[in-house]
Coordinates of all heavy atoms in Angstrom, one line a residue:
M1457 N -6.1 4.6 -6.3 CA -6.2 5.3 -5.1 C -5.4 4.6 -4.0 O -5.4 3.4 -3.9 CB -7.7 5.3 -4.6 CG -8.0 6.2 -3.4 SD -9.8 6.3 -3.1 CE -10.0 4.9 -2.0
R1458 N -4.8 5.4 -3.2 CA -4.0 4.8 -2.1 C -4.5 5.3 -0.8 O -5.0 6.4 -0.7 CB -2.5 5.2 -2.3 CG -1.8 4.6 -3.5 CD -0.3 4.8 -3.5 NE 0.3 4.1 -2.4 CZ 0.7 2.8 -2.6 NH1 0.4 2.1 -3.7 NH2 1.3 2.2 -1.6
I1459 N -4.3 4.5 0.2 CA -4.7 4.9 1.6 C -3.6 4.7 2.5 O -2.7 3.9 2.3 CB -6.0 4.1 2.0 CG1 -5.7 2.6 2.0 CG2 -7.2 4.5 1.3 CD1 -6.8 1.8 2.7
V1460 N -3.7 5.4 3.6 CA -2.8 5.2 4.7 C -3.7 5.2 6.0 O -4.6 6.1 6.1 CB -1.7 6.4 4.9 CG1 -0.9 6.2 6.1 CG2 -0.8 6.4 3.6
V1461 N -3.5 4.3 6.8 CA -4.2 4.3 8.1 C -3.2 4.7 9.2 O -2.1 4.2 9.3 CB -4.7 2.9 8.5 CG1 -5.4 3.0 9.8 CG2 -5.7 2.4 7.4
D1462 N -3.6 5.8 9.9 CA -2.7 6.2 11.0 C -3.0 5.3 12.2 O -4.0 5.3 12.9 CB -3.2 7.6 11.4 CG -2.3 8.2 12.5 OD1 -1.6 7.4 13.2 OD2 -2.3 9.4 12.7
L1463 N -2.0 4.3 12.3 CA -2.2 3.3 13.3 C -2.1 3.8 14.7 O -2.4 3.1 15.7 CB -1.2 2.1 13.0 CG -1.5 1.4 11.7 CD1 -0.4 0.4 11.4 CD2 -2.9 0.8 11.6
T1464 N -1.5 5.0 14.9 CA -1.5 5.6 16.2 C -2.9 6.1 16.6 O -3.1 6.3 17.8 CB -0.5 6.7 16.3 OG1 -0.9 7.8 15.5 CG2 0.9 6.2 15.9
R1465 N -3.7 6.3 15.6 CA -5.1 6.7 15.9 C -6.1 5.6 16.0 O -7.1 5.6 16.7 CB -5.6 7.6 14.8 CG -5.2 9.1 14.9 CD -5.9 9.8 13.7 NE -5.6 11.2 13.8 CZ -6.6 12.1 13.8 NH1 -7.8 11.8 13.6 NH2 -6.3 13.4 13.9
C1466 N -5.8 4.6 15.2 CA -6.8 3.4 15.1 C -7.0 2.8 16.5 O -6.1 2.5 17.2 CB -6.2 2.4 14.1 SG -7.2 0.9 14.1
Q1467 N -8.3 2.7 16.8 CA -8.7 2.1 18.1 C -9.4 0.7 17.9 O -10.0 0.3 18.8 CB -9.6 3.0 18.8 CG -9.0 4.4 19.1 CD -7.9 4.4 20.1 OE1 -8.1 3.7 21.2 NE2 -6.8 5.0 19.9
G1468 N -9.3 0.2 16.7 CA -9.9 -1.1 16.5 C -11.5 -1.1 16.4 O -12.1 -2.1 16.7
Y1469 N -12.0 0.0 16.0 CA -13.5 0.1 15.9 C -14.1 -0.8 14.8 O -15.3 -1.1 14.9 CB -14.0 1.5 15.7 CG -13.8 2.4 16.9 CD1 -12.9 3.4 17.0 CD2 -14.7 2.2 18.0 CE1 -12.7 4.2 18.1 CE2 -14.6 3.0 19.1 CZ -13.6 4.0 19.2 OH -13.5 4.8 20.3
A1470 N -13.3 -1.2 13.9 CA -13.7 -2.2 12.9 C -14.8 -1.8 11.9 O -15.3 -2.6 11.2 CB -14.0 -3.5 13.5
Q1471 N -15.1 -0.5 11.8 CA -16.1 -0.1 10.8 C -15.5 -0.3 9.4 O -16.2 -0.7 8.5 CB -16.4 1.4 11.0 CG -17.1 1.7 12.3 CD -18.4 1.0 12.4 OE1 -19.2 1.0 11.5 NE2 -18.6 0.3 13.5
C1472 N -14.2 -0.1 9.3 CA -13.5 -0.3 8.0 C -13.6 -1.8 7.6 O -13.9 -2.1 6.4 CB -12.1 0.1 8.1 SG -11.1 -0.6 9.4
V1473 N -13.4 -2.7 8.5 CA -13.5 -4.1 8.2 C -14.9 -4.5 7.8 O -15.1 -5.3 6.9 CB -13.0 -4.9 9.5 CG1 -13.1 -6.4 9.2 CG2 -11.6 -4.5 9.9
F1474 N -15.9 -3.9 8.5 CA -17.3 -4.2 8.2 C -17.6 -3.7 6.8 O -18.3 -4.4 6.0 CB -18.1 -3.6 9.3 CG -19.6 -3.8 9.0 CD1 -20.2 -5.0 9.2 CD2 -20.4 -2.7 8.7 CE1 -21.6 -5.2 9.0 CE2 -21.8 -2.9 8.4 CZ -22.3 -4.1 8.6
L1475 N -17.2 -2.5 6.4 CA -17.6 -1.9 5.2 C -16.7 -2.4 4.0 O -17.2 -2.4 2.9 CB -17.5 -0.4 5.3 CG -18.6 0.2 6.2 CD1 -18.3 1.6 6.6 CD2 -20.0 0.2 5.5
A1476 N -15.5 -2.7 4.2 CA -14.6 -3.1 3.1 C -13.7 -4.2 3.5 O -12.5 -4.1 3.7 CB -13.7 -1.9 2.7
P1477 N -14.3 -5.4 3.7 CA -13.5 -6.5 4.3 C -12.4 -7.0 3.3 O -11.5 -7.7 3.8 CB -14.6 -7.6 4.5 CG -15.8 -7.2 3.7 CD -15.7 -5.7 3.5
E1478 N -12.5 -6.7 2.0 CA -11.5 -7.1 1.1 C -10.2 -6.3 1.2 O -9.1 -6.6 0.7 CB -12.0 -7.1 -0.3 CG -13.0 -8.2 -0.5 CD -13.4 -8.3 -2.0 OE1 -12.6 -7.9 -2.9 OE2 -14.5 -8.7 -2.3
V1479 N -10.3 -5.1 1.9 CA -9.2 -4.2 2.0 C -8.6 -4.2 3.5 O -7.4 -4.1 3.7 CB -9.6 -2.8 1.6 CG1 -8.4 -1.8 1.8 CG2 -10.0 -2.8 0.1
F1480 N -9.5 -4.3 4.4 CA -9.1 -4.2 5.8 C -9.3 -5.5 6.6 O -10.3 -6.2 6.3 CB -9.9 -3.1 6.6 CG -9.8 -1.7 6.0 CD1 -10.7 -1.3 5.1 CD2 -8.7 -0.9 6.3 CE1 -10.6 0.0 4.5 CE2 -8.6 0.4 5.7 CZ -9.6 0.8 4.8
E1481 N -8.4 -5.7 7.5 CA -8.5 -7.0 8.3 C -7.9 -6.7 9.7 O -6.9 -6.1 9.8 CB -7.6 -8.0 7.6 CG -7.9 -9.4 8.0 CD -7.0 -10.4 7.2 OE1 -6.6 -10.1 6.1 OE2 -6.8 -11.5 7.7
L1482 N -8.7 -7.1 10.6 CA -8.2 -6.9 12.0 C -7.7 -8.2 12.6 O -8.3 -9.2 12.5 CB -9.4 -6.4 12.9 CG -9.5 -5.0 13.2 CD1 -10.7 -4.8 14.1 CD2 -8.3 -4.3 13.8
H1483 N -6.5 -8.1 13.2 CA -6.0 -9.3 13.9 C -5.9 -8.9 15.4 O -5.2 -8.0 15.7 CB -4.6 -9.7 13.4 CG -4.7 -10.3 12.0 ND1 -4.6 -11.7 11.9 CD2 -4.9 -9.8 10.8 CE1 -4.7 -12.0 10.6 NE2 -4.9 -10.9 9.9
G1484 N -6.6 -9.6 16.2 CA -6.7 -9.2 17.6 C -7.6 -8.0 17.7 O -8.4 -7.7 16.8
E1485 N -7.4 -7.2 18.8 CA -8.3 -6.1 19.0 C -7.9 -4.8 18.2 O -8.7 -4.0 17.9 CB -8.3 -5.7 20.5 CG -9.1 -6.7 21.3 CD -9.3 -6.3 22.7 OE1 -8.9 -5.2 23.1 OE2 -9.9 -7.1 23.4
D1486 N -6.6 -4.6 18.0 CA -6.2 -3.4 17.3 C -5.1 -3.5 16.3 O -4.4 -2.5 16.0 CB -5.9 -2.3 18.4 CG -4.8 -2.7 19.3 OD1 -4.3 -3.8 19.1 OD2 -4.5 -2.0 20.2
A1487 N -4.8 -4.7 15.9 CA -3.7 -4.9 14.9 C -4.4 -4.9 13.5 O -4.9 -5.9 13.0 CB -3.0 -6.2 15.1
L1488 N -4.4 -3.7 12.9 CA -5.1 -3.6 11.6 C -4.2 -3.8 10.4 O -3.1 -3.2 10.4 CB -5.7 -2.2 11.5 CG -6.6 -1.9 10.2 CD1 -7.8 -2.7 10.3 CD2 -6.9 -0.4 10.1
L1489 N -4.6 -4.7 9.5 CA -3.8 -4.9 8.3 C -4.7 -4.3 7.2 O -5.9 -4.4 7.2 CB -3.6 -6.4 8.0 CG -2.8 -7.1 9.1 CD1 -2.6 -8.6 8.7 CD2 -1.4 -6.5 9.3
Y1490 N -4.0 -3.8 6.1 CA -4.8 -3.2 5.0 C -4.0 -3.2 3.8 O -2.7 -3.2 3.8 CB -5.3 -1.9 5.4 CG -4.3 -0.8 5.6 CD1 -4.0 0.1 4.5 CD2 -3.6 -0.7 6.7 CE1 -3.0 1.1 4.7 CE2 -2.6 0.2 6.9 CZ -2.3 1.1 5.9 OH -1.3 2.1 6.1
D1491 N -4.6 -3.1 2.6 CA -4.0 -3.0 1.4 C -3.9 -1.5 1.0 O -4.9 -0.9 0.7 CB -4.8 -3.8 0.3 CG -4.1 -3.7 -1.0 OD1 -3.1 -3.0 -1.2 OD2 -4.7 -4.4 -2.0
P1492 N -2.7 -0.9 1.0 CA -2.6 0.5 0.7 C -3.0 0.9 -0.7 O -3.3 2.1 -0.9 CB -1.2 0.9 1.1 CG -0.4 -0.4 1.0 CD -1.4 -1.5 1.3
A1493 N -2.9 0.0 -1.6 CA -3.2 0.3 -3.0 C -4.6 -0.3 -3.2 O -4.8 -1.5 -3.4 CB -2.2 -0.3 -4.0
V1494 N -5.6 0.6 -3.2 CA -7.0 0.1 -3.2 C -7.4 -0.3 -4.7 O -7.3 0.6 -5.6 CB -7.9 1.2 -2.7 CG1 -9.4 0.8 -2.7 CG2 -7.5 1.6 -1.3
P1495 N -7.9 -1.5 -4.9 CA -8.4 -1.9 -6.2 C -9.6 -1.0 -6.6 O -10.4 -0.6 -5.7 CB -8.8 -3.3 -6.0 CG -8.2 -3.8 -4.7 CD -8.0 -2.6 -3.9
D1496 N -9.8 -0.8 -7.9 CA -10.8 0.1 -8.3 C -12.2 -0.3 -7.9 O -13.1 0.5 -7.6 CB -10.8 0.2 -9.9 CG -9.7 1.0 -10.4 OD1 -9.0 1.7 -9.6 OD2 -9.4 1.0 -11.6
D1497 N -12.4 -1.6 -7.8 CA -13.8 -2.0 -7.4 C -14.1 -1.9 -5.9 O -15.1 -2.2 -5.4 CB -14.0 -3.5 -7.9 CG -13.1 -4.5 -7.2 OD1 -12.2 -4.1 -6.4 OD2 -13.3 -5.7 -7.4
Q1498 N -13.1 -1.4 -5.2 CA -13.2 -1.2 -3.7 C -13.3 0.3 -3.3 O -13.3 0.6 -2.2 CB -12.1 -1.9 -3.0 CG -12.0 -3.4 -3.1 CD -13.2 -4.0 -2.5 OE1 -13.6 -3.7 -1.3 NE2 -13.9 -4.9 -3.2
L1499 N -13.2 1.2 -4.4 CA -13.1 2.6 -4.0 C -14.2 3.1 -3.2 O -14.0 3.8 -2.2 CB -13.0 3.4 -5.3 CG -11.8 3.2 -6.2 CD1 -11.8 4.0 -7.4 CD2 -10.5 3.4 -5.4
D1500 N -15.5 2.8 -3.6 CA -16.6 3.3 -2.9 C -16.6 2.8 -1.5 O -16.9 3.5 -0.5 CB -17.9 3.0 -3.6 CG -18.1 3.8 -4.8 OD1 -17.4 4.8 -5.0 OD2 -19.0 3.4 -5.6
R1501 N -16.4 1.5 -1.3 CA -16.4 0.9 0.0 C -15.3 1.5 0.9 O -15.6 1.8 2.1 CB -16.1 -0.6 -0.1 CG -17.3 -1.4 -0.6 CD -16.9 -2.8 -0.9 NE -18.1 -3.6 -1.2 CZ -18.8 -4.2 -0.2 NH1 -18.4 -4.2 1.0 NH2 -19.9 -4.9 -0.6
V1502 N -14.2 1.8 0.4 CA -13.1 2.4 1.2 C -13.4 3.8 1.5 O -13.1 4.3 2.7 CB -11.7 2.3 0.4 CG1 -10.7 3.1 1.1 CG2 -11.3 0.8 0.4
R1503 N -14.0 4.6 0.6 CA -14.5 5.9 1.0 C -15.5 5.9 2.1 O -15.5 6.7 3.0 CB -15.0 6.6 -0.2 CG -14.0 7.0 -1.2 CD -14.5 8.1 -2.2 NE -13.5 8.4 -3.2 CZ -13.4 7.9 -4.4 NH1 -14.3 7.0 -4.8 NH2 -12.4 8.2 -5.2
Q1504 N -16.4 4.9 2.0 CA -17.4 4.8 3.1 C -16.7 4.4 4.4 O -17.1 5.0 5.5 CB -18.4 3.7 2.8 CG -19.4 4.1 1.7 CD -20.3 2.9 1.3 OE1 -20.5 2.0 2.0 NE2 -20.7 3.0 0.0
A1505 N -15.7 3.6 4.3 CA -15.0 3.2 5.5 C -14.3 4.4 6.2 O -14.3 4.6 7.4 CB -14.0 2.1 5.2
A1506 N -13.6 5.2 5.3 CA -12.9 6.4 5.8 C -13.9 7.3 6.5 O -13.6 7.9 7.5 CB -12.2 7.1 4.6
A1507 N -15.1 7.5 5.9 CA -16.1 8.4 6.5 C -16.6 7.8 7.8 O -17.0 8.6 8.7 CB -17.2 8.6 5.5
A1508 N -16.7 6.5 7.9 CA -17.3 5.9 9.1 C -16.3 5.7 10.2 O -16.8 5.5 11.4 CB -17.8 4.5 8.6
C1509 N -15.0 5.7 10.0 CA -14.1 5.5 11.1 C -14.3 6.6 12.1 O -14.2 7.8 11.8 CB -12.6 5.6 10.6 SG -11.4 5.4 11.9
P1510 N -14.6 6.2 13.4 CA -14.9 7.2 14.4 C -13.7 8.1 14.8 O -14.0 9.2 15.3 CB -15.3 6.3 15.6 CG -15.6 5.0 15.1 CD -14.8 4.8 13.8
V1511 N -12.5 7.7 14.5 CA -11.4 8.5 14.8 C -10.6 9.1 13.6 O -9.5 9.6 13.7 CB -10.4 7.8 15.7 CG1 -11.0 7.5 17.1 CG2 -9.9 6.5 15.1
Q1512 N -11.3 9.0 12.4 CA -10.7 9.5 11.2 C -9.3 9.0 11.0 O -8.4 9.8 10.6 CB -10.8 11.0 11.1 CG -12.1 11.6 10.8 CD -12.9 12.0 12.0 OE1 -12.4 12.7 12.8 NE2 -14.1 11.5 12.1
A1513 N -9.0 7.7 11.2 CA -7.7 7.2 11.0 C -7.3 6.9 9.6 O -6.1 6.7 9.3 CB -7.5 5.9 11.9
I1514 N -8.3 6.8 8.7 CA -8.1 6.3 7.3 C -7.9 7.6 6.5 O -8.8 8.4 6.3 CB -9.2 5.5 6.8 CG1 -9.4 4.3 7.7 CG2 -8.9 5.0 5.4 CD1 -10.7 3.5 7.5
L1515 N -6.7 7.7 5.9 CA -6.4 8.9 5.1 C -6.4 8.4 3.6 O -5.7 7.5 3.2 CB -5.1 9.5 5.4 CG -4.9 9.7 6.9 CD1 -3.4 10.1 7.2 CD2 -5.9 10.8 7.4
V1516 N -7.3 9.1 2.8 CA -7.5 8.7 1.4 C -6.7 9.7 0.5 O -6.9 10.9 0.7 CB -9.0 8.7 1.1 CG1 -9.2 8.4 -0.4 CG2 -9.7 7.6 1.9
G1517 N -5.9 9.2 -0.3 CA -5.2 10.0 -1.3 C -5.6 9.6 -2.7 O -5.6 8.4 -3.0
E1518 N -5.9 10.6 -3.5 CA -6.3 10.3 -4.9 C -5.0 10.1 -5.7 O -3.9 10.7 -5.4 CB -7.1 11.4 -5.5 CG -8.4 11.6 -4.8 CD -9.4 10.5 -4.9 OE1 -9.3 9.7 -5.8 OE2 -10.2 10.3 -4.0
E1519 N -5.0 9.3 -6.8 CA -3.8 9.1 -7.6 C -4.1 9.6 -9.0 O -5.2 9.3 -9.5 CB -3.3 7.7 -7.6 CG -2.2 7.5 -6.7 CD -1.6 6.1 -6.7 OE1 -2.0 5.3 -7.7 OE2 -0.9 5.7 -5.8
Ligands
F3S2347 FE1 -9.3 1.5 13.1 FE2 -11.0 3.2 12.2 FE3 -10.9 0.8 11.2 S1 -10.5 2.9 14.3 S2 -10.3 -0.5 12.8 S3 -9.3 2.4 11.1 S4 -12.8 2.0 11.6

């Protein structure tokens, strides 16, 4: 599974970092780093993160 975060939408709410810390990392208030190729053992966490993001910035694509 691959993800894209729309960084123009991301406001640094950090729900993704809280729910999937192995995939998302915040540097400063709104500099989000992430792994676009999600490991299989992180799929559920990343789906939860996408659902929890208040501005729907995490776009999930199936492969
Ligand atoms: Fe940004 Fe949404 Fe995560 S606003 S920091 S992608 S929860």
Side-chain angles (χ1 to χ4, degrees):
M1457 184 173 91
R1458 294 190 69 83
I1459 55 170
V1460 175
V1461 178
D1462 183 344
L1463 296 174
T1464 64
R1465 277 183 175 233
C1466 174
Q1467 301 290 316
Y1469 285 110
Q1471 294 302 307
C1472 55
V1473 180
F1474 178 70
L1475 289 163
E1478 291 188 25
V1479 175
F1480 300 97
E1481 199 177 338
L1482 261 181
H1483 285 260
E1485 286 189 4
D1486 57 2
L1488 183 70
L1489 301 179
Y1490 64 100
D1491 182 355
V1494 179
D1496 285 349
D1497 65 352
Q1498 296 294 311
L1499 295 180
D1500 286 348
R1501 286 173 169 269
V1502 168
R1503 287 197 181 97
Q1504 288 174 26
C1509 176
V1511 293
Q1512 282 98 49
I1514 303 168
L1515 309 174
V1516 175
E1518 302 296 334
E1519 259 184 15

